[in-house]
Amino acid sequence: MEKSISESTPDVISALYRQLPSIDSLLSQADFQSIIIQAGRQWVTDTLRAMQVAAREHIQHTGQLPAWHSSWLTQLNCYYQQHIESALKPVFNLTGTVLHTNLGRAVMADEAVDAVSEVMRSPVTLEYSLSGAQRGHRDRALADLLCQLTGAEDACIVNNNAAAVLLLLATLAHGRQVVVSRGELVEIGGAFRIPDVMQQAGCQLVEVGTTNRTHLRDYQQAITEQTALLMKVHTSNYSIQGFTAEVGSEELAALGRQYQLPTAIDLGSGSMIDMTAYGLPAEPMPKTYLAQGIDLVSISGDKLLGGPQAGIILGKKQWIDAIQRHPLKRALRVDKMTLAALEATLKLYLNPHKLTQRLPTLKWLTRQQDEIKACAERLLPPLLAIYGDRFEVASASCLSQIGSGSLPIDRLPSWAITFAPLEGRGSALEKLAAQWRELPKPIIGRINDGRLWLDLRCLDNENDFLQALLR
């Protein structure tokens, strides 16, 4: 049996161990005092001990000192930079997906960023009424604004749309039945399934219709004394095409009134504006469904709305009042920073003519292909100078997507810079993508069809992008 290094050369191993400096000797060195002041003596001590253990393990397995043995302070400083670096790093999103769930979805408008900064620096009237010098409700100011924008009677705000659906169901239908079309029992990212949410809310799901066709009579025949809610779910992350039929919201609202049952629609993304007015594919708007008589509509704050993560329930005051009183509301409520960002974002909608300039999400979604192509043509020469010896660097048309379950089939004409390796093929692309992910501000693209694509739709600052690559 082959002996390990430690068994074969115990004297060598012991000699190498003796070359490792003691923790006290390192802490007493003048060069270490600066990082001790910065990071604290306890952190430095603990890290040096971990480094010493790692060095001993390296010696035992290789019979050699670690490469950093002659530069303990340099290695310690590297660990410190990793220690203080934020886990949430800004990146260049060049994936071609505007609302990228893994990259934080909507980017905030400057007004929202300023609003959050302001409420972080001072006590604010979160739940305090200045007029009556007494406790107020944290949703009130935003609820009034949402009512103005959508025509709702009232509104409730929680931490995301999944929470909004859970709270709505728990309030209106706990222990009773909810009727939903079989074709709308969606699953979205993170294994969020409508049937599972209903189970957690204590509801009994009643499926009606078929996967591709559901009629009004299907809902009507399912209504019993145990029915508490008639519900629709917008299939935002997939589309059924061909021989299909679904019940319109106006029909469902009329059926609810006939049987004195509330109706609700989970819109998921939900746009506050008519997207077609900006040359974009149509997306359902909550005010349309509310005007058609639906009692409650839920939407997300960080998708097409372009704001922070939040769940918004809009609708009839009697149901919103009941939702606000439910014990789960306190567990799911949002903090002052989310409310500040959401309010600032919603106020931008009061002046829709400037939305494309002030709201990043809409600015990127409405960016024209010719403008993006011009950006690619400006960037191509410097990128060729950097990478032309290893890659075929080219400018090419491509298709972007909205993302986050919004309009899954529709694509937006865009333009990209592509990289095809002169040698190495797939491994060279993976290596390049990995190098870009290690930059101080990582660059995130996508690999497809033997090329690495950088879709430039969401690139605002070309100079910052080039500087990042030059590093």
PDB file of all heavy atoms in Angstrom, residues 367-390:
ATOM      1  N   ARG A 367     -36.905  50.485 -25.712  1.00  0.00           N
ATOM      2  CA  ARG A 367     -35.695  50.852 -26.456  1.00  0.00           C
ATOM      3  C   ARG A 367     -35.754  50.229 -27.860  1.00  0.00           C
ATOM      4  O   ARG A 367     -35.964  49.032 -28.021  1.00  0.00           O
ATOM      5  CB  ARG A 367     -34.459  50.352 -25.708  1.00  0.00           C
ATOM      6  CG  ARG A 367     -33.189  51.093 -26.056  1.00  0.00           C
ATOM      7  CD  ARG A 367     -32.071  50.672 -25.134  1.00  0.00           C
ATOM      8  NE  ARG A 367     -30.842  51.392 -25.445  1.00  0.00           N
ATOM      9  CZ  ARG A 367     -29.662  51.102 -24.918  1.00  0.00           C
ATOM     10  NH1 ARG A 367     -29.555  50.108 -24.046  1.00  0.00           N
ATOM     11  NH2 ARG A 367     -28.596  51.790 -25.259  1.00  0.00           N
ATOM     12  N   GLN A 368     -35.541  51.052 -28.865  1.00  0.00           N
ATOM     13  CA  GLN A 368     -35.669  50.598 -30.253  1.00  0.00           C
ATOM     14  C   GLN A 368     -34.423  49.855 -30.715  1.00  0.00           C
ATOM     15  O   GLN A 368     -33.299  50.143 -30.278  1.00  0.00           O
ATOM     16  CB  GLN A 368     -35.942  51.781 -31.177  1.00  0.00           C
ATOM     17  CG  GLN A 368     -37.262  52.491 -30.897  1.00  0.00           C
ATOM     18  CD  GLN A 368     -38.449  51.550 -31.048  1.00  0.00           C
ATOM     19  OE1 GLN A 368     -38.661  50.959 -32.111  1.00  0.00           O
ATOM     20  NE2 GLN A 368     -39.232  51.414 -29.982  1.00  0.00           N
ATOM     21  N   GLN A 369     -34.627  48.907 -31.619  1.00  0.00           N
ATOM     22  CA  GLN A 369     -33.519  48.077 -32.095  1.00  0.00           C
ATOM     23  C   GLN A 369     -32.425  48.921 -32.755  1.00  0.00           C
ATOM     24  O   GLN A 369     -31.232  48.641 -32.581  1.00  0.00           O
ATOM     25  CB  GLN A 369     -34.034  47.018 -33.072  1.00  0.00           C
ATOM     26  CG  GLN A 369     -32.960  46.005 -33.471  1.00  0.00           C
ATOM     27  CD  GLN A 369     -33.473  44.970 -34.440  1.00  0.00           C
ATOM     28  OE1 GLN A 369     -34.274  45.273 -35.327  1.00  0.00           O
ATOM     29  NE2 GLN A 369     -33.023  43.726 -34.300  1.00  0.00           N
ATOM     30  N   ASP A 370     -32.793  49.946 -33.506  1.00  0.00           N
ATOM     31  CA  ASP A 370     -31.789  50.786 -34.172  1.00  0.00           C
ATOM     32  C   ASP A 370     -30.870  51.458 -33.165  1.00  0.00           C
ATOM     33  O   ASP A 370     -29.653  51.582 -33.405  1.00  0.00           O
ATOM     34  CB  ASP A 370     -32.476  51.849 -35.034  1.00  0.00           C
ATOM     35  CG  ASP A 370     -33.119  51.256 -36.280  1.00  0.00           C
ATOM     36  OD1 ASP A 370     -32.808  50.091 -36.596  1.00  0.00           O
ATOM     37  OD2 ASP A 370     -33.930  51.954 -36.928  1.00  0.00           O
ATOM     38  N   GLU A 371     -31.443  51.902 -32.052  1.00  0.00           N
ATOM     39  CA  GLU A 371     -30.638  52.537 -31.002  1.00  0.00           C
ATOM     40  C   GLU A 371     -29.666  51.531 -30.389  1.00  0.00           C
ATOM     41  O   GLU A 371     -28.504  51.842 -30.122  1.00  0.00           O
ATOM     42  CB  GLU A 371     -31.560  53.106 -29.922  1.00  0.00           C
ATOM     43  CG  GLU A 371     -30.822  53.748 -28.760  1.00  0.00           C
ATOM     44  CD  GLU A 371     -31.746  54.098 -27.606  1.00  0.00           C
ATOM     45  OE1 GLU A 371     -32.978  54.066 -27.790  1.00  0.00           O
ATOM     46  OE2 GLU A 371     -31.223  54.395 -26.506  1.00  0.00           O
ATOM     47  N   ILE A 372     -30.145  50.299 -30.160  1.00  0.00           N
ATOM     48  CA  ILE A 372     -29.292  49.269 -29.565  1.00  0.00           C
ATOM     49  C   ILE A 372     -28.203  48.855 -30.552  1.00  0.00           C
ATOM     50  O   ILE A 372     -27.051  48.620 -30.170  1.00  0.00           O
ATOM     51  CB  ILE A 372     -30.140  48.050 -29.139  1.00  0.00           C
ATOM     52  CG1 ILE A 372     -31.282  48.489 -28.225  1.00  0.00           C
ATOM     53  CG2 ILE A 372     -29.274  47.015 -28.431  1.00  0.00           C
ATOM     54  CD1 ILE A 372     -32.295  47.403 -27.926  1.00  0.00           C
ATOM     55  N   LYS A 373     -28.559  48.798 -31.838  1.00  0.00           N
ATOM     56  CA  LYS A 373     -27.571  48.451 -32.862  1.00  0.00           C
ATOM     57  C   LYS A 373     -26.463  49.501 -32.924  1.00  0.00           C
ATOM     58  O   LYS A 373     -25.276  49.162 -33.065  1.00  0.00           O
ATOM     59  CB  LYS A 373     -28.262  48.327 -34.225  1.00  0.00           C
ATOM     60  CG  LYS A 373     -27.312  47.949 -35.355  1.00  0.00           C
ATOM     61  CD  LYS A 373     -28.056  47.854 -36.675  1.00  0.00           C
ATOM     62  CE  LYS A 373     -27.088  47.502 -37.806  1.00  0.00           C
ATOM     63  NZ  LYS A 373     -27.792  47.414 -39.130  1.00  0.00           N
ATOM     64  N   ALA A 374     -26.816  50.760 -32.813  1.00  0.00           N
ATOM     65  CA  ALA A 374     -25.816  51.828 -32.827  1.00  0.00           C
ATOM     66  C   ALA A 374     -24.852  51.679 -31.651  1.00  0.00           C
ATOM     67  O   ALA A 374     -23.643  51.910 -31.787  1.00  0.00           O
ATOM     68  CB  ALA A 374     -26.508  53.192 -32.790  1.00  0.00           C
ATOM     69  N   CYS A 375     -25.386  51.290 -30.505  1.00  0.00           N
ATOM     70  CA  CYS A 375     -24.551  51.033 -29.333  1.00  0.00           C
ATOM     71  C   CYS A 375     -23.562  49.892 -29.630  1.00  0.00           C
ATOM     72  O   CYS A 375     -22.371  49.973 -29.307  1.00  0.00           O
ATOM     73  CB  CYS A 375     -25.430  50.688 -28.133  1.00  0.00           C
ATOM     74  SG  CYS A 375     -24.545  50.130 -26.671  1.00  0.00           S
ATOM     75  N   ALA A 376     -24.057  48.830 -30.267  1.00  0.00           N
ATOM     76  CA  ALA A 376     -23.200  47.683 -30.602  1.00  0.00           C
ATOM     77  C   ALA A 376     -22.088  48.097 -31.562  1.00  0.00           C
ATOM     78  O   ALA A 376     -20.929  47.665 -31.409  1.00  0.00           O
ATOM     79  CB  ALA A 376     -24.048  46.572 -31.209  1.00  0.00           C
ATOM     80  N   GLU A 377     -22.408  48.934 -32.529  1.00  0.00           N
ATOM     81  CA  GLU A 377     -21.402  49.362 -33.503  1.00  0.00           C
ATOM     82  C   GLU A 377     -20.328  50.228 -32.856  1.00  0.00           C
ATOM     83  O   GLU A 377     -19.167  50.199 -33.273  1.00  0.00           O
ATOM     84  CB  GLU A 377     -22.088  50.100 -34.653  1.00  0.00           C
ATOM     85  CG  GLU A 377     -22.936  49.166 -35.521  1.00  0.00           C
ATOM     86  CD  GLU A 377     -23.740  49.903 -36.577  1.00  0.00           C
ATOM     87  OE1 GLU A 377     -23.850  51.149 -36.472  1.00  0.00           O
ATOM     88  OE2 GLU A 377     -24.282  49.235 -37.480  1.00  0.00           O
ATOM     89  N   ARG A 378     -20.694  50.995 -31.827  1.00  0.00           N
ATOM     90  CA  ARG A 378     -19.689  51.793 -31.106  1.00  0.00           C
ATOM     91  C   ARG A 378     -18.778  50.896 -30.270  1.00  0.00           C
ATOM     92  O   ARG A 378     -17.593  51.181 -30.097  1.00  0.00           O
ATOM     93  CB  ARG A 378     -20.388  52.818 -30.213  1.00  0.00           C
ATOM     94  CG  ARG A 378     -21.046  53.952 -30.972  1.00  0.00           C
ATOM     95  CD  ARG A 378     -21.492  55.064 -30.032  1.00  0.00           C
ATOM     96  NE  ARG A 378     -22.504  54.623 -29.080  1.00  0.00           N
ATOM     97  CZ  ARG A 378     -23.814  54.694 -29.293  1.00  0.00           C
ATOM     98  NH1 ARG A 378     -24.267  55.162 -30.446  1.00  0.00           N
ATOM     99  NH2 ARG A 378     -24.674  54.296 -28.370  1.00  0.00           N
ATOM    100  N   LEU A 379     -19.347  49.830 -29.718  1.00  0.00           N
ATOM    101  CA  LEU A 379     -18.574  48.963 -28.835  1.00  0.00           C
ATOM    102  C   LEU A 379     -17.727  47.936 -29.576  1.00  0.00           C
ATOM    103  O   LEU A 379     -16.741  47.430 -29.030  1.00  0.00           O
ATOM    104  CB  LEU A 379     -19.524  48.226 -27.881  1.00  0.00           C
ATOM    105  CG  LEU A 379     -20.216  49.062 -26.808  1.00  0.00           C
ATOM    106  CD1 LEU A 379     -21.248  48.222 -26.075  1.00  0.00           C
ATOM    107  CD2 LEU A 379     -19.200  49.631 -25.832  1.00  0.00           C
ATOM    108  N   LEU A 380     -18.090  47.626 -30.804  1.00  0.00           N
ATOM    109  CA  LEU A 380     -17.413  46.556 -31.527  1.00  0.00           C
ATOM    110  C   LEU A 380     -15.916  46.789 -31.706  1.00  0.00           C
ATOM    111  O   LEU A 380     -15.113  45.865 -31.438  1.00  0.00           O
ATOM    112  CB  LEU A 380     -18.106  46.332 -32.871  1.00  0.00           C
ATOM    113  CG  LEU A 380     -17.647  45.108 -33.673  1.00  0.00           C
ATOM    114  CD1 LEU A 380     -17.849  43.827 -32.858  1.00  0.00           C
ATOM    115  CD2 LEU A 380     -18.399  45.019 -34.997  1.00  0.00           C
ATOM    116  N   PRO A 381     -15.456  47.977 -32.152  1.00  0.00           N
ATOM    117  CA  PRO A 381     -14.007  48.169 -32.337  1.00  0.00           C
ATOM    118  C   PRO A 381     -13.180  47.952 -31.059  1.00  0.00           C
ATOM    119  O   PRO A 381     -12.186  47.205 -31.090  1.00  0.00           O
ATOM    120  CB  PRO A 381     -13.903  49.606 -32.861  1.00  0.00           C
ATOM    121  CG  PRO A 381     -15.228  49.854 -33.517  1.00  0.00           C
ATOM    122  CD  PRO A 381     -16.223  49.143 -32.664  1.00  0.00           C
ATOM    123  N   PRO A 382     -13.536  48.564 -29.917  1.00  0.00           N
ATOM    124  CA  PRO A 382     -12.726  48.304 -28.722  1.00  0.00           C
ATOM    125  C   PRO A 382     -12.786  46.855 -28.254  1.00  0.00           C
ATOM    126  O   PRO A 382     -11.798  46.324 -27.735  1.00  0.00           O
ATOM    127  CB  PRO A 382     -13.303  49.253 -27.670  1.00  0.00           C
ATOM    128  CG  PRO A 382     -14.653  49.642 -28.166  1.00  0.00           C
ATOM    129  CD  PRO A 382     -14.559  49.600 -29.647  1.00  0.00           C
ATOM    130  N   LEU A 383     -13.917  46.181 -28.438  1.00  0.00           N
ATOM    131  CA  LEU A 383     -14.017  44.782 -28.035  1.00  0.00           C
ATOM    132  C   LEU A 383     -13.181  43.893 -28.952  1.00  0.00           C
ATOM    133  O   LEU A 383     -12.589  42.908 -28.503  1.00  0.00           O
ATOM    134  CB  LEU A 383     -15.477  44.330 -28.039  1.00  0.00           C
ATOM    135  CG  LEU A 383     -16.362  44.947 -26.946  1.00  0.00           C
ATOM    136  CD1 LEU A 383     -17.800  44.489 -27.096  1.00  0.00           C
ATOM    137  CD2 LEU A 383     -15.845  44.578 -25.565  1.00  0.00           C
ATOM    138  N   LEU A 384     -13.107  44.240 -30.231  1.00  0.00           N
ATOM    139  CA  LEU A 384     -12.225  43.521 -31.144  1.00  0.00           C
ATOM    140  C   LEU A 384     -10.767  43.687 -30.738  1.00  0.00           C
ATOM    141  O   LEU A 384      -9.975  42.735 -30.811  1.00  0.00           O
ATOM    142  CB  LEU A 384     -12.433  44.023 -32.574  1.00  0.00           C
ATOM    143  CG  LEU A 384     -13.579  43.404 -33.369  1.00  0.00           C
ATOM    144  CD1 LEU A 384     -13.860  44.211 -34.642  1.00  0.00           C
ATOM    145  CD2 LEU A 384     -13.267  41.959 -33.702  1.00  0.00           C
ATOM    146  N   ALA A 385     -10.414  44.897 -30.280  1.00  0.00           N
ATOM    147  CA  ALA A 385      -9.032  45.138 -29.857  1.00  0.00           C
ATOM    148  C   ALA A 385      -8.676  44.302 -28.635  1.00  0.00           C
ATOM    149  O   ALA A 385      -7.526  43.854 -28.494  1.00  0.00           O
ATOM    150  CB  ALA A 385      -8.840  46.626 -29.568  1.00  0.00           C
ATOM    151  N   ILE A 386      -9.651  44.085 -27.760  1.00  0.00           N
ATOM    152  CA  ILE A 386      -9.376  43.323 -26.528  1.00  0.00           C
ATOM    153  C   ILE A 386      -9.400  41.827 -26.785  1.00  0.00           C
ATOM    154  O   ILE A 386      -8.543  41.081 -26.291  1.00  0.00           O
ATOM    155  CB  ILE A 386     -10.414  43.686 -25.438  1.00  0.00           C
ATOM    156  CG1 ILE A 386     -10.366  45.175 -25.099  1.00  0.00           C
ATOM    157  CG2 ILE A 386     -10.163  42.858 -24.169  1.00  0.00           C
ATOM    158  CD1 ILE A 386     -11.489  45.643 -24.185  1.00  0.00           C
ATOM    159  N   TYR A 387     -10.377  41.359 -27.570  1.00  0.00           N
ATOM    160  CA  TYR A 387     -10.624  39.916 -27.672  1.00  0.00           C
ATOM    161  C   TYR A 387     -10.408  39.329 -29.065  1.00  0.00           C
ATOM    162  O   TYR A 387     -10.550  38.118 -29.253  1.00  0.00           O
ATOM    163  CB  TYR A 387     -12.069  39.612 -27.245  1.00  0.00           C
ATOM    164  CG  TYR A 387     -12.346  39.910 -25.798  1.00  0.00           C
ATOM    165  CD1 TYR A 387     -13.054  41.046 -25.420  1.00  0.00           C
ATOM    166  CD2 TYR A 387     -11.894  39.056 -24.794  1.00  0.00           C
ATOM    167  CE1 TYR A 387     -13.308  41.321 -24.091  1.00  0.00           C
ATOM    168  CE2 TYR A 387     -12.136  39.325 -23.455  1.00  0.00           C
ATOM    169  CZ  TYR A 387     -12.849  40.463 -23.115  1.00  0.00           C
ATOM    170  OH  TYR A 387     -13.093  40.731 -21.795  1.00  0.00           O
ATOM    171  N   GLY A 388     -10.085  40.164 -30.041  1.00  0.00           N
ATOM    172  CA  GLY A 388     -10.018  39.701 -31.422  1.00  0.00           C
ATOM    173  C   GLY A 388      -8.981  38.628 -31.692  1.00  0.00           C
ATOM    174  O   GLY A 388      -9.101  37.888 -32.674  1.00  0.00           O
ATOM    175  N   ASP A 389      -7.950  38.513 -30.849  1.00  0.00           N
ATOM    176  CA  ASP A 389      -6.929  37.491 -31.082  1.00  0.00           C
ATOM    177  C   ASP A 389      -7.381  36.105 -30.626  1.00  0.00           C
ATOM    178  O   ASP A 389      -6.770  35.094 -30.986  1.00  0.00           O
ATOM    179  CB  ASP A 389      -5.633  37.864 -30.356  1.00  0.00           C
ATOM    180  CG  ASP A 389      -5.829  38.006 -28.855  1.00  0.00           C
ATOM    181  OD1 ASP A 389      -6.961  38.313 -28.425  1.00  0.00           O
ATOM    182  OD2 ASP A 389      -4.848  37.805 -28.101  1.00  0.00           O
ATOM    183  N   ARG A 390      -8.466  36.052 -29.824  1.00  0.00           N
ATOM    184  CA  ARG A 390      -8.936  34.769 -29.299  1.00  0.00           C
ATOM    185  C   ARG A 390     -10.350  34.412 -29.735  1.00  0.00           C
ATOM    186  O   ARG A 390     -10.748  33.253 -29.703  1.00  0.00           O
ATOM    187  CB  ARG A 390      -8.883  34.782 -27.764  1.00  0.00           C
ATOM    188  CG  ARG A 390      -7.490  34.813 -27.173  1.00  0.00           C
ATOM    189  CD  ARG A 390      -7.555  34.941 -25.658  1.00  0.00           C
ATOM    190  NE  ARG A 390      -8.054  36.252 -25.251  1.00  0.00           N
ATOM    191  CZ  ARG A 390      -8.737  36.475 -24.138  1.00  0.00           C
ATOM    192  NH1 ARG A 390      -9.053  35.461 -23.346  1.00  0.00           N
ATOM    193  NH2 ARG A 390      -9.123  37.687 -23.823  1.00  0.00           N
TER     194      ARG A 390
END
